[in-house]
Amino acid sequence: MIPREFDYHAPKSIPDALGLLAQFGDEAKLLAGGHSLLPMMKMRFAQPGHLIDLGKIPELKGIREERGTICIGAMTTENELIWSKLLQDKCPLLVEGARLISDPQVRYKGTIGGDISHGDPGNDHPAMMLALSASFVLRSAAGERVVPADGFFVGTYDTLMKPDEIMTEVRIPVPAPGTGYCYAKLKRKVGDYAAAAAAVTLRMNGETVQEVAIALTNVGPTPLKARAAEDALRGKALTDASMAAAAELAMSICDPAADQRGDAEYKTAMAGEMTQRALRLARSRAGN
Ligand SMILES: Cc1cc2nc3c(=O)[nH]c(=O)nc-3n(C[C@H](O)[C@H](O)[C@H](O)COP(=O)(O)OP(=O)(O)OC[C@H]3O[C@@H](n4cnc5c(N)ncnc54)[C@H](O)[C@@H]3O)c2cc1C
């Protein structure tokens, strides 16, 4: 299908973009890489009269480290994440996850801010954000607020972000040296969304789990933080039995929608499988 007619705006600064948002209100939509928004417009699920392209605003791009925090501009593309030396050295989970998103065409244009803002439980960044204890900087004409990823995703295509806000930056505390990590994603075919995926970060103290975070993709209306599974592992030895028990706890919070990727039972089982796979790989990558 063809989208309805719209006016295109290309502001050069965040205040100009916020001004346009305020001017056009509900009629406006922010455009980032367009890989989720444009398909929705073509199907007429979204029918904005005004598109505000964030692509000409330099402050929204780039990756830097500032006092123990990795700051990523919302308009940074998947490809830029993958090739970032800073992320490769200090936050390789994000590099691993970005490499598993779709295909090069999507990764060259799709942005981390768009992937998170869209609120699609099938998107990969939200679970990684939960596993990395990220937070998001949201700007409106009224000022700026910083919202933790944990609690940001409230429903399918629904987040805490207000219509007059722009996500400007993603902030991630630099993972401690020796943090193990893994994004385990099961796809039907190259380029597909996850049938189920698990993001894990893991700190070991000898054979004992010191800290662990587990988050799941596409097995509920939002990304899911597997808190009971984390609690069951923390302070204990990481064994085949403890990982299997954690996977059972992760599966117990899954509520996936059946689709062409499988029925609910299959996707739930695969969430458990991905959890165990991610824990094992994270263990092999963790320092003591
Ligand atoms: C074939 C295909 C396969 C895909 N597979 C995957 C996959 O496996 N994993 C995955 O994670 N994603 C996948 N995607 C989605 C892709 O990663 C999108 O790029 C992403 O969901 C949206 O990012 P975008 O920059 O394209 O945002 P857009 O499509 O431009 O915007 C998406 C939404 O977010 C809003 N928005 C964008 N930026 C901001 C901002 N800074 N502040 C506030 N609101 C904002 C827009 O208004 C819009 O509502 C796939 C897409 C396609 C077409």
Side-chain angles (χ1 to χ4, degrees), residues 145-229:
R145 61 183 180 132
V146 182
V147 178
D150 199 354
F152 178 75
F153 304 97
V154 295
T156 301
Y157 302 119
D158 195 8
T159 70
L160 283 186
M161 195 153 43
K162 298 186 187 135
D164 65 345
E165 286 178 318
I166 296 176
M167 182 179 293
T168 56
E169 193 168 272
V170 173
R171 292 185 182 161
I172 299 170
V174 177
T179 301
Y181 66 92
C182 180
Y183 191 62
K185 175 172 176 178
L186 179 71
K187 315 194 237 188
R188 278 179 315 165
K189 55 179 179 150
V190 172
D192 198 14
Y193 289 89
V200 164
T201 56
L202 178 70
R203 293 271 302 134
M204 295 297 290
N205 183 3
E207 292 308 308
T208 305
V209 174
Q210 187 180 329
E211 199 41 73
V212 62
I214 305 171
L216 307 172
T217 297
N218 222 5
V219 283
T222 64
L224 303 174
K225 186 97 160 61
R227 285 178 224 288

Side-chain angles (χ1 to χ4, degrees), residues 32 73-76 78 110-118 125 161 167 170:
M75 285 297 289
T76 304
E78 305 299 346
T111 65
I112 186 168
D115 196 273
I116 295 165
S117 303
H118 195 46
H125 280 297
M161 195 153 43
M167 182 179 293
V170 173

Side-chain angles (χ1 to χ4, degrees), residues 29-30 32-37 102 111 115 123-124 167 185 193:
K29 264 289 189 194
L30 297 170
H35 273 298
S36 291
L37 180 58
S102 193
T111 65
D115 196 273
N123 278 1
D124 293 297
M167 182 179 293
K185 175 172 176 178
Y193 289 89

Side-chain angles (χ1 to χ4, degrees), residues 19-39:
L20 288 164
L21 258 189
Q23 184 182 346
F24 297 116
D26 287 349
E27 269 291 286
K29 264 289 189 194
L30 297 170
L31 173 69
H35 273 298
S36 291
L37 180 58
L38 296 186

